[in-house]
Amino acid sequence: MTSAARTNHHSRPRRWRRSFRLIRDNARAYAWLNVGAYGVTAVGFVLGIVFPDLNAARADALESDGTAGLVQELVLTPPLFALVILAVNIGKVGLGFIFLPSLIVPFAGLGLFAYFAVETGITLAPTSPVAWVQLIPHSLTLIIELQAYILLLLGAWLLGRHWLFPRTIGAPTRRRGYLRGLQCMGMLAVPALSLLVIGAIWEAISLRYFIHPLAEWLL
């Protein structure tokens, strides 16, 4: 094994250790973000059940923008479907709702994600027996993907805190605090990306192979 390969081999576990240490050092914020993310999603879920028109409006929107049709086309090809899911989760949610807004406005990603989570809960709210069955495998997808987003939210929270209050981490200026916050976001992006990959694979496989047999068995 070359020296470069050995360095790369040892650097990956080191990056993971730094990521988990960062989560452990900010366990209270991580716990509150879990409560907030799952809680806000649950609020949207309840709203979708209590007010079916909200759920119907989301379904119509997905039909209008072509999302529903794209899902129907791709679901028969799980590898391609997983890649598309991963691209959407990283590009639209991870970057669009959390990462990029937080680079410009402190904590902006937290507020935008709350809106996304409510909308997601409304979309997933089951309004038929088949939809309740679909929720069985999809609930695991939701848990995995929300955990990934919570890690990114923790990074956005640390960026905002280091940026606005740099002296709390011993940084002499806000610029230094901002750079430290970016490092934190980068470290947390490693496990977040891994979870998004797992979530995309599970979602593609479960929609292709599990929904129909479950529906036939339970309904």
Side-chain angles (χ1 to χ4, degrees), residues 84-219:
V84 172
I85 293 170
L86 181 62
V88 171
N89 289 344
I90 292 175
K92 180 180 178 181
V93 187
L95 291 175
F97 280 93
I98 302 174
F99 192 87
L100 294 178
S102 300
L103 298 182
I104 302 169
V105 179
F107 310 114
L110 278 68
L112 290 174
F113 179 80
Y115 168 81
F116 165 79
V118 171
E119 193 175 64
T120 298
I122 292 172
T123 303
L124 293 177
T127 56
S128 68
V130 173
W132 279 105
V133 171
Q134 291 175 343
L135 194 61
I136 296 173
H138 201 70
S139 59
L140 179 57
T141 303
L142 184 64
I143 291 171
I144 295 171
E145 291 180 352
L146 278 180
Q147 276 302 309
Y149 299 142
I150 288 166
L151 291 175
L152 296 178
L153 290 172
L154 180 60
W157 182 81
L158 290 173
L159 173 61
R161 190 185 69 171
H162 295 352
W163 187 1
L164 296 179
F165 309 104
R167 297 193 184 280
T168 60
I169 55 166
T173 64
R174 284 200 170 94
R175 181 177 179 276
R176 290 286 184 84
Y178 185 87
L179 293 176
R180 286 280 296 276
L182 283 180
Q183 289 177 339
C184 292
M185 291 192 81
M187 283 190 285
L188 292 169
V190 175
L193 179 60
S194 300
L195 285 172
L196 288 177
V197 170
I198 294 170
I201 293 172
W202 168 251
E203 183 173 3
I205 291 174
S206 63
L207 288 177
R208 175 65 180 91
Y209 297 111
F210 295 163
I211 299 297
H212 184 66
L214 273 175
E216 288 193 334
W217 180 46
L218 295 174
L219 299 180

